[in-house]
Amino acid sequence: AVSMGGRTPELMDENGPIWVNKFSEDSARAFVKQLHYQSLRDPTSPILVYIDSNGGDAYALLTMIAALEQVPNEIITCALSKAMSAGAMLLACGDIRFASEHSTIMIHEISAGAGGHIDDINVQHTAITKLNEKLMNILVKKSKFKGGAGALKKLLRSERDLYLDSEEAKEFGFVDHIGIPMLHKNLSVQYLLSSNPRGNNDQVTASAKKSKV
């Protein structure tokens, strides 16, 4: 497996938020199943995805990203305490992205071990390089990182693991809001901005359809 760090989404009730902790083949299948189930039940209401993850398998991540792009619902992602590696990638792929005030977001290039014959190692290295390029391009596209993929990869090479707090993640364009969104009985989504000391809720309205790229 090609790792993006860390140790199956943890799924709550069928209409509630989808909780993501692990990135593996099993967790990706469970994620896709619940995502499509919620979308089929109601294709117009937003789907809320809570992320608290150290990361995991890169191919599982790609499966989950593909699933997000298949449903018409607006996807709202939120980092609760940590969204690291694959978790940060999934966070950035939401249509509306949140990070709780005290959350940590970490991004880095993928890592993997290679073994066997020298020719096999070269083939694996080429495949991993292509996969890393694909993931970095997705991240740049979703985050609109200033300077593009080259600048992001240069930053990652210099930082190795790039740790960001919620404010920094917003500055980098990986999240849109600081706060925690919550689903209500009418399936509207509200969130509390950390910058609002009075605790007034702002309404987030979901589009019936979202544009696909």
Side-chain angles (χ1 to χ4, degrees):
V2 180
S3 174
M4 294 197 68
R7 356 171 236 169
T8 290
E10 305 299 334
L11 305 182
M12 299 294 285
D13 66 271
E14 60 190 25
N15 294 317
I18 300 176
W19 292 70
V20 178
N21 176 251
K22 301 176 184 178
F23 288 82
S24 64
E25 289 186 7
D26 289 341
S27 68
R29 280 193 292 268
F31 179 88
V32 172
K33 182 178 180 181
Q34 181 154 355
L35 187 71
H36 281 279
Y37 177 79
Q38 290 196 17
S39 182
L40 287 171
R41 282 175 60 91
D42 186 348
T44 63
S45 293
I47 295 176
L48 180 56
V49 179
Y50 285 151
I51 302 167
D52 183 9
S53 176
N54 292 315
D57 182 67
Y59 292 108
L61 168 65
L62 287 173
T63 298
M64 295 161 80
I65 292 175
L68 294 181
E69 295 173 347
Q70 292 169 355
V71 298
N73 308 67
E74 196 156 36
I75 303 298
I76 301 173
T77 55
C78 177
L80 290 180
S81 65
K82 59 186 180 297
M84 300 188 180
S85 193
M89 288 282 299
L90 189 66
L91 172 67
C93 288
D95 297 306
I96 306 175
R97 297 90 48 89
F98 290 82
S100 66
E101 184 178 4
H102 303 295
S103 60
T104 299
I105 290 85
M106 186 274 283
I107 61 172
H108 60 186
E109 296 186 296
I110 65 175
S111 60
H117 191 275
I118 184 64
D119 292 335
D120 295 329
I121 293 175
N122 289 333
V123 169
Q124 292 174 49
H125 174 74
T126 300
I128 292 167
T129 300
K130 288 182 178 179
L131 178 59
N132 186 70
E133 185 75 14
K134 178 185 294 185
L135 290 169
M136 290 300 104
N137 287 338
I138 291 173
L139 184 61
V140 169
K141 181 179 178 181
K142 297 296 184 180
S143 66
K144 298 179 176 60
F145 184 80
K146 294 179 181 179
L152 178 57
K153 283 185 281 189
K154 183 178 180 180
L155 178 63
L156 289 173
R157 291 191 189 103
S158 63
E159 294 285 344
R160 300 291 293 179
D161 293 342
L162 178 62
Y163 285 88
L164 306 170
D165 61 26
S166 56
E167 289 285 355
E168 292 168 332
K170 186 176 179 181
E171 291 177 8
F172 272 79
F174 300 138
V175 299
D176 306 302
H177 305 287
I178 298 174
I180 300 177
M182 295 170 289
L183 280 175
H184 291 259
K185 289 183 179 180
N186 62 354
L187 290 182
S188 66
V189 175
Q190 294 181 335
Y191 63 94
L192 187 65
L193 293 178
S194 61
S195 59
N196 186 346
R198 296 192 178 188
N200 296 323
N201 285 332
D202 292 323
Q203 186 75 26
V204 177
T205 58
S207 302
K209 294 285 184 180
K210 65 180 182 184
S211 59
K212 300 294 184 180
V213 178

